[in-house]
Amino acid sequence: MLFVWNPIGVCVDTARRLRGIVGGGRLERPGVYRICKRFSFEAAHFLRGLPEGHKCARLHGHSYSVEIVLWARELTGPGFVVDFADLKALKTHLDASLDHTTLNDVLDVEPTSENLAKWLYEWCAVGLALPETARVEAVRVSETDTTWAEYRPATFV
């Protein structure tokens, strides 16, 4: 018997027995619920190692937007992935640690949007009290309305 693993990590043969085959021979996969919440903060930074005259090498500020994406296969309570109110801990962390600071003084890495997204993802993974069914999928950071950087662990790529 041939066993093939599908992208959600379920053995195809096992999944067929558990879920059955739907029309056209497609494997029916369990659904996933996703939510997102956006927060904001104001901060300044400058980037090292850029060519002389690059505008980002000078101290400058942004109105940052941070989005956290969470997922779950099962809902809790009245039908939540996570109660949005329970994500207030992230806003508290942003306000206490990053708001109106120079990010170079706070982060132990160069304060690019990419590094900030990873830094915040790692904080969320341990700093948020989430139900056992919920996981942080990604954190997205925007410096402007037209740009963003996102960090997600390789298991979601």
Side-chain angles (χ1 to χ4, degrees):
M1 177 178 285
L2 177 64
F3 293 95
V4 178
W5 291 92
N6 68 16
I8 62 170
V10 177
C11 173
V12 171
D13 182 63
T14 301
R16 282 185 180 129
R17 283 185 275 132
L18 294 175
R19 299 262 191 265
I21 300 292
V22 294
R26 292 182 54 217
L27 179 65
E28 182 181 334
R29 295 188 297 171
V32 173
Y33 300 94
R34 296 173 72 224
I35 64 167
C36 179
K37 181 146 175 81
R38 184 178 304 127
F39 302 93
S40 62
F41 68 95
E42 311 290 329
H45 72 149
F46 59 90
L47 301 178
R48 297 174 189 92
L50 295 172
E52 188 169 334
H54 194 290
K55 67 180 183 177
C56 294
R58 296 189 306 264
L59 181 65
H60 62 285
H62 296 285
S63 296
Y64 284 90
S65 174
V66 174
E67 296 179 19
I68 180 172
V69 179
L70 301 107
W71 70 274
R73 286 198 170 93
E74 298 174 18
L75 301 177
T76 63
F80 293 149
V81 169
V82 174
D83 185 339
F84 284 113
D86 293 341
L87 300 177
K88 186 176 185 208
L90 176 54
K91 178 61 175 162
T92 301
H93 176 67
L94 294 173
D95 289 346
S97 301
L98 302 178
D99 193 41
H100 287 84
T101 67
T102 301
L103 296 179
N104 301 71
D105 297 338
V106 178
L107 303 178
D108 56 357
V109 295
E110 199 65 15
T112 62
S113 292
E114 294 86 346
N115 285 331
L116 183 55
K118 182 178 182 189
W119 189 82
L120 289 169
Y121 177 93
E122 290 171 349
W123 184 90
C124 289
V126 297
L128 291 175
L130 299 176
E132 276 194 39
T133 55
R135 300 287 181 270
V136 178
E137 178 178 329
V139 171
R140 182 178 286 185
V141 173
S142 298
E143 293 180 349
T144 71
D145 290 339
T146 60
T147 63
W148 56 263
E150 181 178 87
Y151 178 81
R152 65 180 61 228
T155 55
F156 289 105
V157 177

